[in-house]
Structure formats: C-alpha cells, structure tokens
Amino acid sequence: GFEVSNNSNSNIRVQARNISTPLILLLPDVAFNDGNSYQESSGIFEVPCDGIYHFDAEVEWSFSLKPQPFGVRSTQSGSISGKTYLIITINGTISRYDVQPSYSYMSYSQNISVNLSLKAGDKINCSLINGTSAVKSIQHAFFSGFKAY
C-alpha cells in the first residue's frame, strides 16, 4: 500500500483545466510505499497482484482569485461549468469521482473512498479538473491505497 500527501504545507496552484487534460496529483510527502508500487514521479499506483483494493483521496481547495464560471464540455453527461472534480482513474478511465458543483465558496474539500476489484498491472491515479476560471490552491491533499483482500 501507499500514502502520499502535501503535508509539507506547500500549496499547489491549479489553473483551469479542460476535461480532456486532468491534473494528476503529484504529492511530495510519502508516508509509506510498501513494495514501491506507487510511482512518485508520475502519481501512478501499479497494482502488484489481483484483488480488492481500497483507495482514499481528499483535497482541500481555496480560491486564489475571485471565481467566475468557466464552460467546459464533459465526456460524461452534463457540463462541468463552474465545477471541480476529484477523480480516481483506472488505466486512464474515470472510475469514481466527487464533484463540487458550486464555485461560490472560497474554500471547500472533496473526498473519495472506494473499493475496486483490480488486476495485476492496472494503473491507478488521482486527478483533478478545475472547471472554473479561477486559479485555485490545494491547501491539503491526500491519496492512499492498499490491498483489502
């Protein structure tokens, strides 16, 4: 399993991003990385063996500029205009996401907790899409995963 965060109090600035180019979270503080299956340079966890895995992800945002709506078309149904997504992907495909639909708050947090049936070699990462025109800062972020059985 692994656990990474930005506990070093380093804010991460995030520009507005299109749905086709999500930002993969690259978090600098590694609490543990058993088996070295989490690749710090790419933010990807490569599943070492078949099984059920549990993942947790959390991001706490703050706006650096006054938020304004930003229209972006989504590959999912609906629009992500003014929304921010926290995403867990499997082999580049969105598996689970949490959406913050309102851009009127100056700070908020998002989280995902999920169990996934995975095969050896599957690649998992945590990504973000900032669907607003506001530049945001990640005040705190956390991503972890382990084999449940």
Side-chain angles (χ1 to χ4, degrees), residues 7-102:
N7 284 332
S8 62
N9 295 322
S10 57
N11 283 356
I12 302 168
R13 290 175 58 82
V14 181
Q15 301 289 338
R17 300 182 75 86
N18 187 285
I19 188 83
S20 63
T21 57
L23 173 72
I24 295 175
L25 276 180
L26 299 177
L27 301 172
D29 301 316
V30 179
F32 61 90
N33 187 7
D34 297 340
N36 294 314
S37 295
Y38 178 79
Q39 302 157 12
E40 296 171 49
S41 61
S42 66
I44 292 173
F45 173 75
E46 186 167 346
V47 175
C49 58
D50 295 4
I52 304 297
Y53 286 78
H54 179 82
F55 296 93
D56 289 305
E58 182 176 289
V59 173
E60 183 179 338
W61 292 96
S62 69
F63 284 107
S64 299
L65 301 173
K66 185 175 186 241
Q68 299 293 324
F70 179 79
V72 180
R73 285 185 295 140
S74 171
T75 58
Q76 308 292 321
S77 61
S79 167
I80 66 164
S81 177
K83 301 175 186 177
T84 304
Y85 284 72
L86 174 63
I87 301 166
I88 290 182
T89 62
I90 303 173
N91 300 322
T93 301
I94 294 173
S95 171
R96 299 290 190 280
Y97 63 89
D98 180 68
V99 61
Q100 168 49 275
S102 174

Side-chain angles (χ1 to χ4, degrees), residues 1-4 33 37-38 43-49 51-58 86-91 95-97 111-119 121-127 142-149:
F2 70 96
E3 181 179 305
V4 294
N33 187 7
S37 295
Y38 178 79
I44 292 173
F45 173 75
E46 186 167 346
V47 175
C49 58
I52 304 297
Y53 286 78
H54 179 82
F55 296 93
D56 289 305
E58 182 176 289
L86 174 63
I87 301 166
I88 290 182
T89 62
I90 303 173
N91 300 322
S95 171
R96 299 290 190 280
Y97 63 89
N111 60 62
I112 297 173
S113 185
V114 63
N115 295 318
L116 300 170
S117 178
L118 301 171
K119 301 287 185 197
D122 282 347
K123 292 178 176 23
I124 311 301
N125 67 29
C126 184
S127 305
F142 172 89
F143 183 40
S144 70
F146 60 88
K147 184 175 181 187
Y149 60 92

